[in-house]
Amino acid sequence: MKNKVISKINKIGKAGNIISKIAKIIMIIGLIGCIVGTVLMSFIPKDFVTFNMSGDAVITVNTDNMPLIEIINFGDEVHIDKDSSDLSVKWDINDVAYIVSELEHNGNIINMYAEAESYKIDISSFKWFLIPVIIFMISALAVIHFIGILCKKFQYCSTPFTEDIVKAIKNLAISIIPMALLQSVTESITNSMMTGNIDIVVGIDLMTVILVILIFLLAAIFNYGTMLQEESDETL
């Protein structure tokens, strides 16, 4: 008769294995859709569908606590002069550069009407967004694959402290690293396309770093458990 703890580990492993298989199927369907979309967009004429992007913003400043600010107009350009420092009124909002085109001064309230430069995106350009998405989905599929392998080993194990399980945990931790890097690249490419400002960022989220460290720590704990298991078996 199986130990109750081992039986619970097997059940959790079975559930994880089933969920990872479902997630893998969904990811594969999405991946195929992205690949087909990329191929189709490669044959679409450049000017078949065009998106003209532009943006407006209103910035309100309350100068109650800034009595030294003096508003000065210089032709078409608007500047704020404070303590003899001349600053052009420009705002970077959500990675979009806005330039003040009109200023309204009403008592202590300043309303600045800003406009972002318009830009054009044709539908065929979206393939350059789908390509990194495809690469990201492949890396995510690899993570799901290693999760499935680990869960399957837990499903059929008679003890969780084996070298195969330790190896599976380490492989899972390693597989998360490229996915995390590609996620930041994909997000920055999306933002670049939506804002018209090219700004490709490669980085890893701090929480992802902590997660990878914790998984490697878990692998070290299981490795130690494996050593104790082997010593116990040799003693018996």
Side-chain angles (χ1 to χ4, degrees), residues 81-93:
D81 185 44
K82 180 181 179 182
D83 296 336
S84 300
S85 63
D86 190 16
L87 303 173
S88 296
V89 182
K90 294 183 180 180
W91 300 80
D92 188 61
I93 304 170

Side-chain angles (χ1 to χ4, degrees), residues 87-206:
L87 303 173
S88 296
V89 182
K90 294 183 180 180
W91 300 80
D92 188 61
I93 304 170
N94 196 26
D95 295 327
V96 179
Y98 289 87
I99 300 176
V100 172
S101 59
E102 183 182 349
L103 185 145
E104 182 182 78
H105 191 197
N106 185 13
N108 291 327
I109 302 298
I110 302 168
N111 289 320
M112 289 179 281
Y113 300 90
E115 296 177 355
E117 291 185 4
S118 61
Y119 59 96
K120 183 174 71 173
I121 302 175
D122 59 84
I123 195 168
S124 62
S125 299
F126 279 95
K127 66 177 176 288
W128 303 114
F129 162 68
L130 287 176
I131 290 171
V133 169
I134 290 170
I135 298 172
F136 169 73
M137 291 181 74
I138 291 172
S139 65
L141 191 60
V143 174
I144 295 172
H145 174 70
F146 285 114
I147 289 174
I149 290 176
L150 180 60
C151 289
K152 189 173 183 179
K153 290 186 181 299
F154 279 130
Q155 180 181 354
Y156 296 107
C157 72
S158 55
T159 173
F161 301 114
T162 64
E163 291 183 2
D164 286 345
I165 288 178
V166 173
K167 184 178 179 181
I169 295 173
K170 288 180 179 178
N171 288 339
L172 174 59
I174 294 170
S175 69
I176 292 174
I177 297 172
M179 186 191 73
L181 286 170
L182 289 167
Q183 182 179 6
S184 65
V185 173
T186 304
E187 289 178 354
S188 61
I189 290 175
T190 304
N191 290 334
S192 296
M193 290 192 66
M194 293 299 103
T195 61
N197 296 323
I198 305 300
D199 184 19
I200 308 302
V201 178
V202 180
I204 299 181
D205 182 68
L206 180 61

